[in-house]
Amino acid sequence: MDKQNGEAVLHVEGDWTVKTVGSLEREIRRARFEATPQRVDVSALGAVDTAGAFLIHTMLEDGGIEADKTYQLIGEHAQAKALLELVSGRERQEKVVASQPLSIIDLLARVGKGSVHFMDEAVGTLSFIGEAMLTTFKLLLQPHKIRWTSVFAVMEEAGLDALPIVSFLSFFVGMVIAFIGATMLQQTLGATVFTVELVGWAVMREFGVVLTGILLAGRTNSSFTAQIGSMKMRQEIDAMRTLGIDPIEALVTPRILAMLIMTPLLAFGATLSGLLGGLMISWVALDISPILFITRIQEIVIIQNFWVGMSKAPVFALVVAMIACRQGLLVQGDVQSLGKATTASVVHAIFLIIVVDAIFAMMYMELGI
């Protein structure tokens, strides 16, 4: 550091990057400023990144430059000015935010912003559902226009490949239901044989199809959103529109049809696996033979419970496909938006599956089904 025209000038030389800031910081701590630096000479500055710029900014602040003042640079450098303004502006913003505690106005503003965002999201989702369903209905009236290759590929990827994990999880959930039911019934009624009815009702009406929907929301939703979002980032969807190809017809409809076909089959497999898990626990731990288990299922747990559960599967399929495709089409041109869309897709799908299941439960209760 030296003086020019009565002002102290700080000279920075060499590379100021994350690899060199450690040694530079030690040298700065040993240095003594004879005067407060007012300007920075970057003529001999080599490579610089945000770590080096932050070190220069900190050194100037310690020397007396305030964070809200603009740096006076001497010499030319491609990145020095922008990086110094970046680190100084971010620190100034953090200080302002930290110095202003949240008030009731800020809370109301956040609530209002969240409410407006929720309404916009709801309107956008309903609009997309209407457009996708209309396109799908038109294609069903003209089956030769449906891209059956894409439909069967999605059926294999989202349906057949998901069958092992869906069945495996449902099997253990059926075991858990049998364990809990046996313990509860033994303590309250002293009759563990009613565990069969509990497993049958719970798995057929709720757990089989709900577990299928939640697993598809986590597995298939993220996959669909990532696939379509990647195409959006690479501008492939814009190219499709330029060629006169409707993205809804080419990307959304095959996924809707595939999920409508495979979700009931997956729910059926999950139901069988859950009953098998309950049968295993009843046989091994409760001394209820498989023949007695199956007989009580047939005689007491009426088939209507099975159809109640299966009636939810197509709705869950539409929820998974619609949410995943819409979030994928909302992806912008950066990777960060792809991550946000994938997360939002999974969260929205799981939330809607639980809400739809609750609506079905209340509706069937009112109808006495």
Side-chain angles (χ1 to χ4, degrees), residues 23 36 41 56 103 138 148 195 208 233 262 265 285 325 340 358:
S23 58
T36 300
D41 187 359
I56 297 174
S103 63
K138 289 180 179 179
W148 292 108
T195 303
M233 290 173 57
M262 294 306 299
L265 297 178
C325 295
K340 290 182 178 179

Side-chain angles (χ1 to χ4, degrees), residues 11 52 147 150 213 348:
H11 297 271
R147 290 170 168 80
S150 300
H348 292 176

